[in-house]
């Protein structure tokens, strides 16, 4: 089994300080949270950025200062900007961080349209997915294929057959979003069984589902994502003080399964970006 790649999704676009006051907004707070996750064992930082008041933004200038801050504190960490951004943003707005100079090593590529709770719809049409994939192919960026449901894997496979999405593929299964697949062992087994054998995958799940689903992924040879974007609790009723605390919990679960933790360079090798 490969060593375990831990991704920390340190702030997301939806979670706020009202829910957990440790959610980072400012450049300094983003740096602090990335650093806490990195020293706890994360090799990838999945990055959304915010204005100082918490408003989500895909502004390339904000991404630039935040990535510089993270690189200063965690020089070898893999920074994976979101191209999902926040609900309602345009495709061009969402794609901005892939045009950083130099381009990021990785970025997310969301693989289908879905309900996203309440009246929200997260729009990713087939043509938009092709556009995002072709831009990332051109820039040599490794995409993490965000699949919130089984049909999104089918979309990936169709676009792979047409030559738009390149192998080896790396997936992130996001379980338990209202509008996506549930977060049960059966759901996760179904997703894992639906991807090509030479792919890699990581797993994240919303709220209380986070640690059970991540544990199953670790056991089965998949990778793990945790962080405030997905869940702000360390255990029932106990708010995490930092992303680092959530990563530490993953490391202790990995120890139980005798799974070693990948360094950033080991993660690069596993993902084929070194
Ligand atoms: N904020 C969600 C609407 C991604 O980062 O690529 C989309 C998201 C996925 O978080
Ligand atoms: Zn995200």
């Amino acid at each position: 089994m490969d060593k375990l790649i831990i991704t920390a999704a340190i702030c997301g676009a939806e979670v706020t300080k009202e829910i957990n006051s440790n959610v980072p907004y400012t450049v300094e707070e983003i740096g602090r949270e990335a650093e806490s996750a990195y020293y706890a064992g994360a090799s990838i930082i999945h990055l959304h950025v915010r204005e100082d008041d918490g408003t989500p933004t895909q502004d390339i200038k904000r991404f630039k200062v935040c990535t510089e801050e993270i690189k200063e504190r965690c020089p070898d960490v893999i920074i994976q900007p979101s191209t999902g951004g926040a609900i309602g943003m345009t495709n061009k707005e969402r794609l901005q961080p892939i045009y950083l100079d130099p381009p990021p090593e990785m970025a997310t590529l969301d693989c289908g349209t879905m309900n996203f709770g309440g009246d929200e719809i997260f729009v990713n049409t087939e043509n938009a997915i092709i556009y995002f994939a072709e831009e990332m192919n051109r820039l040599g960026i490794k995409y993490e294929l965000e699949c919130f449901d089984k049909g999104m894997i089918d979309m990936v496979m169709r676009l792979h057959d047409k030559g738009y999405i390149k192998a080896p593929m790396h997936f992130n299964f996001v379980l338990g979003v209202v509008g996506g697949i549930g977060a049960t062992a059966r759901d996760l087994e179904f997703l894992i069984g639906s991807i090509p054998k030479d792919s890699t995958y990581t797993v994240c799940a919303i709220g209380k589902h986070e640690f059970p689903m991540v544990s199953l992924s670790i056991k089965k040879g998949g990778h793990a994502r945790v962080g405030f974007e997905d869940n702000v609790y360390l255990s029932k009723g106990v708010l995490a003080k930092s992303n680092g605390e959530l990563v530490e919990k993953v490391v202790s679960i990995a120890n139980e399964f005798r799974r070693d933790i990948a360094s950033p360079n080991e993660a690069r090798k596993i993902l084929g970006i070194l």
Side-chain angles (χ1 to χ4, degrees):
M1 232 180 241
D2 281 330
K3 288 190 178 180
L4 178 69
I5 301 172
I6 303 175
T7 299
I10 58 175
C11 76
E14 289 83 21
V15 68
T16 62
K17 282 190 192 290
E18 282 71 50
I19 299 168
N20 183 330
S21 61
N22 301 306
V23 171
Y25 295 164
T26 67
V27 176
E28 199 279 327
E29 289 168 348
I30 296 257
R32 178 200 74 208
E33 285 306 305
E35 187 175 356
S36 79
Y38 171 73
Y39 282 105
S43 49
I44 302 178
I45 303 297
H46 169 64
L47 186 63
H48 291 253
V49 298
R50 307 286 190 92
E51 304 291 359
D52 285 352
D53 68 0
T55 308
T57 175
Q58 290 291 101
D59 180 15
I60 190 167
K61 294 193 283 306
R62 189 68 166 183
F63 266 97
K64 185 171 186 300
V65 288
C66 288
T67 54
E68 281 167 2
E69 179 75 18
I70 294 171
K71 280 184 185 158
E72 183 99 14
R73 294 172 182 250
C74 335
D76 62 339
V77 82
I78 301 168
I79 301 178
Q80 178 201 80
S82 168
T83 68
I87 302 289
M89 290 177 172
T90 66
N91 293 338
K92 284 214 154 52
E93 197 178 355
R94 285 167 47 183
L95 263 184
Q96 289 179 79
I98 71 167
Y99 302 113
L100 285 165
D101 183 18
E105 294 175 271
M106 293 186 85
T108 58
L109 173 52
D110 292 277
C111 298
T113 295
M114 61 185 294
N115 283 327
F116 217 79
D119 289 324
E120 309 274 43
I121 303 174
F122 185 31
V123 179
N124 297 283
T125 65
E126 181 184 18
N127 287 344
I129 300 164
I130 292 171
Y131 168 51
F132 280 40
E134 289 204 298
E135 284 297 270
M136 292 192 222
N137 290 338
R138 187 172 66 77
L139 294 164
I141 297 170
K142 172 87 181 181
Y143 20 73
E144 179 176 271
L145 301 159
E146 307 296 304
C147 291
F148 296 73
D149 216 331
K150 160 69 164 58
M152 298 194 193
I153 298 175
D154 300 335
M155 172 67 85
V156 168
M157 296 317 301
R158 259 195 310 277
L159 298 184
H160 172 62
D161 289 344
K162 291 181 173 173
Y164 296 115
I165 290 181
K166 310 287 180 200
M169 293 176 244
H170 175 64
F171 292 85
N172 179 32
F173 300 138
V174 189
L175 295 102
V177 172
V178 178
I181 200 165
T184 68
R186 178 168 163 265
D187 296 316
L188 182 52
E189 300 273 1
F190 181 40
L191 298 178
I192 294 169
S194 303
I195 59 173
K197 294 286 166 268
D198 66 344
S199 337
T200 48
Y201 65 90
T202 192
V203 171
C204 66
I206 304 306
K208 67 179 182 187
H209 301 298
E210 178 163 77
F211 287 108
M213 291 297 102
V214 159
S215 302
L216 184 53
S217 178
I218 295 171
K219 186 173 160 199
K220 292 190 70 74
H223 301 284
R225 171 175 129 174
V226 292
F228 289 157
E229 177 166 348
D230 307 322
N231 164 51
V232 295
Y233 290 98
L234 194 57
S235 54
K236 193 170 179 193
V238 181
L239 288 168
K241 292 193 189 71
S242 67
N243 280 274
E245 276 196 342
L246 297 168
V247 173
E248 276 167 18
K249 184 160 172 175
V250 177
V251 172
S252 72
I253 296 168
N255 287 340
E256 277 173 39
F257 289 113
R258 299 183 181 284
R259 195 94 188 263
D260 291 331
I261 309 301
S263 68
N265 271 346
E266 288 168 335
R268 287 182 177 91
K269 284 204 186 99
I270 293 165
L271 295 170
I273 55 177
L274 193 68

